[in-house]
Amino acid sequence: DVQLQASGGGMVQAGGSLRLSCAASGFTFDEYAIGWFREAPGKEREGVACIMSSEVRPYYPDSVKGRFTITSDNAKNTFYLQMNSLKPDDTAVYYCAADSCSGYGGYQGQGTLVTVSS
C-alpha cells in the first residue's frame, strides 16, 4: 500500500524558513510523480511543487517560484519541501502527494499546518 506521512509544519514569522518532509512507502519515486499541494480557508487548493520525473525540472507555480524547492532522497524514500522567504499568504495545510501532485486522485498524506505570522 502507498503511504505518505508529512511532517515539519509549524509557526514561523514572515521571512523565515521551514522544511517539510514526506516519508513515503509502498512505491519508488520513479513510479509516480511526487509533490506538494496546500489548502487554506477560503482559497482554492494549490499545487506548490511537483516532480513529474527525473528527466524534467520540477514545477512550481509563480506564487512560490524562487522560494520553494522540492527535493527527494531515494535512499530514504523521503521527499522534502524547502520553503524560504515565507509570507503570511503561505499559511495553509500542506499535503504531500504521489501520482497526482494536485491531490486530485492519486495518493495523499495527512496534512501538516504551516502558519506564517506577519
Side-chain angles (χ1 to χ4, degrees):
D1 290 351
V2 172
Q3 293 190 358
L4 301 164
Q5 180 80 29
S7 61
M11 184 176 292
V12 64
Q13 289 190 330
S17 299
L18 279 176
R19 189 178 79 155
L20 307 183
S21 299
C22 184
S25 62
F27 70 103
T28 58
F29 295 162
D30 58 358
E31 293 183 79
Y32 295 131
I34 53 175
W36 297 85
F37 66 92
R38 64 188 181 186
E39 292 186 332
K43 297 183 180 180
E44 291 189 2
R45 176 182 296 184
E46 181 182 27
V48 295
C50 186
I51 298 177
M52 294 296 294
S53 79
S54 60
E55 299 176 1
V56 299
R57 291 182 178 179
Y59 163 79
Y60 306 97
D62 289 344
S63 58
V64 308
K65 194 174 293 182
R67 302 188 298 120
F68 288 14
T69 304
I70 183 172
T71 58
S72 64
D73 185 332
N74 290 359
K76 295 182 179 180
N77 231 40
T78 301
F79 58 101
Y80 306 93
L81 184 68
Q82 178 67 44
M83 304 185 294
N84 298 330
S85 302
L86 284 161
K87 306 174 182 180
D89 280 351
D90 295 319
T91 295
V93 178
Y94 285 73
Y95 299 84
C96 55
D99 193 19
S100 170
C101 291
S102 68
Y104 293 108
Y107 307 93
Q108 305 87 40
Q110 91 294 349
T112 186
L113 177 63
V114 172
T115 303
V116 184
S117 61
S118 57

